């Protein structure tokens, strides 16, 4: 079976980087006239929203592609906080409470999974997930609701599909996060978990 060579996401990533870079450049021109909360709002409106839009499709991309997006996020953080290029960016991202790009993607997938399991997602998403039911008692049952990870055929793209990625990520969560009483509490616990 031959797959189309154009099925990679490099063009999409390059387009995101191009438009976000332009927005960062334009915000940088007026940054000295803005206070930090206003700069954050502009960055969220014109940069991080582009990175986060449909980012669950970027799951499983090569590190080289995700690093391009991380560079954009780092530049946005530097503009927001007026941090110099010679300073480390990790403490700045922590101070802003911004997850790295790979964790943002996982956050999006896990949030959609929580919504699907709690009836807040469209049926076509809910149909992709199957709850694991055991015929006998297992110690692993005490670890909360688990999902079935379906078999997949193509190594390159199979593990990146939502129906495989979502259960894999979900099963790695702790019971306290899985059993959150509301979406707000789930997101809060999940973000804390992903920061660690």
């Amino acid at each position: 079976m031959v797959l189309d060579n154009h099925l990679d996401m490099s063009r999409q990533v390059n387009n995101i980087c191009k438009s976000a870079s332009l927005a960062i450049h334009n915000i940088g021109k007026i940054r000295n006239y803005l206070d930090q909360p206003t700069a954050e709002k502009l960055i969220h409106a014109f940069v991080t929203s582009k990175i986060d839009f449909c980012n669950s499709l970027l799951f499983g991309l090569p590190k080289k592609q995700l690093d391009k997006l991380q560079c954009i996020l780092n530049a946005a953080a530097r503009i927001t906080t007026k941090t110099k290029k010679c300073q480390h960016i990790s403490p700045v991202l922590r101070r802003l409470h911004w997850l790295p790009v790979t964790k943002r993607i996982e956050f999006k997938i896990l949030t959609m999974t929580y919504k699907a399991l709690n009836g807040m997602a469209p049926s076509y998403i809910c149909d992709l997930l199957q709850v694991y039911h055991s015929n006998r008692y297992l110690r692993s049952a005490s670890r909360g609701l688990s999902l079935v990870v379906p078999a997949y055929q193509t190594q390159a793209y199979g593990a990146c599909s939502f129906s495989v990625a979502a259960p894999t990520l979900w099963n790695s969560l702790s019971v306290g996060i899985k059993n959150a009483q509301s979406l707000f509490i789930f997101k809060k616990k999940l973000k804390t978990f992903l920061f660690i």
Side-chain angles (χ1 to χ4, degrees):
M1 183 169 113
V2 177
L3 291 174
D4 187 358
N5 290 334
H6 300 290
L7 286 178
D8 65 356
M9 295 291 285
S10 58
R11 186 181 299 165
Q12 176 68 16
V13 169
N14 290 338
N15 286 339
I16 292 169
C17 292
K18 185 177 176 182
S19 63
S21 293
L22 179 62
I24 289 170
H25 177 73
N26 290 336
I27 294 168
K29 287 182 179 178
I30 61 169
R31 177 61 184 98
N32 291 331
Y33 306 107
L34 304 171
D35 59 349
Q36 185 163 335
T38 306
E40 277 187 57
K41 287 177 186 172
L42 281 174
I43 289 293
H44 282 305
F46 295 107
V47 180
T48 58
S49 62
K50 290 178 185 352
I51 293 171
D52 290 338
F53 181 72
C54 291
N55 69 352
S56 58
L57 297 174
L58 305 177
F59 182 79
L61 280 185
K63 186 178 181 320
K64 180 181 175 185
Q65 294 295 324
L66 294 177
D67 284 348
K68 291 179 185 179
L69 293 172
Q70 188 63 50
C71 286
I72 294 295
L73 191 67
N74 294 351
R78 289 185 196 285
I79 288 288
T80 303
T81 59
K82 294 184 177 179
T83 304
K84 296 178 181 173
K85 287 187 178 183
C86 61
Q87 293 177 307
H88 289 289
I89 196 65
S90 297
V92 175
L93 292 172
R94 271 194 167 300
R95 196 168 57 245
L96 290 170
H97 299 284
W98 291 3
L99 290 169
V101 171
T102 54
K103 300 294 183 181
R104 290 170 97 91
I105 293 168
E106 290 176 14
F107 183 85
K108 177 73 75 74
I109 291 170
L110 288 166
T111 302
M112 287 193 322
T113 305
Y114 180 86
K115 287 180 178 179
L117 293 174
N118 291 285
M120 295 183 266
S123 61
Y124 64 87
I125 299 248
C126 297
D127 293 343
L128 295 173
L129 302 174
Q130 183 181 1
V131 177
Y132 176 75
H133 297 289
S134 176
N135 295 336
R136 59 186 196 280
Y137 176 76
L138 299 173
R139 279 182 288 165
S140 60
S142 63
R143 286 188 268 163
L145 182 69
S146 292
L147 299 174
V148 175
V149 180
Y152 52 92
Q153 294 180 351
T154 59
Q155 286 291 56
Y157 299 105
C160 301
S161 68
F162 180 79
S163 60
V164 176
T168 304
L169 292 172
W170 181 263
N171 292 342
S172 69
L173 293 178
S174 68
V175 181
I177 300 171
K178 290 180 186 179
N179 296 335
Q181 297 299 314
S182 69
L183 182 61
F184 175 77
I185 294 169
F186 175 78
K187 284 183 174 182
K188 191 174 179 181
K189 288 182 176 184
L190 180 61
K191 194 166 186 181
T192 303
F193 172 75
L194 292 174
F195 259 121
I196 296 172

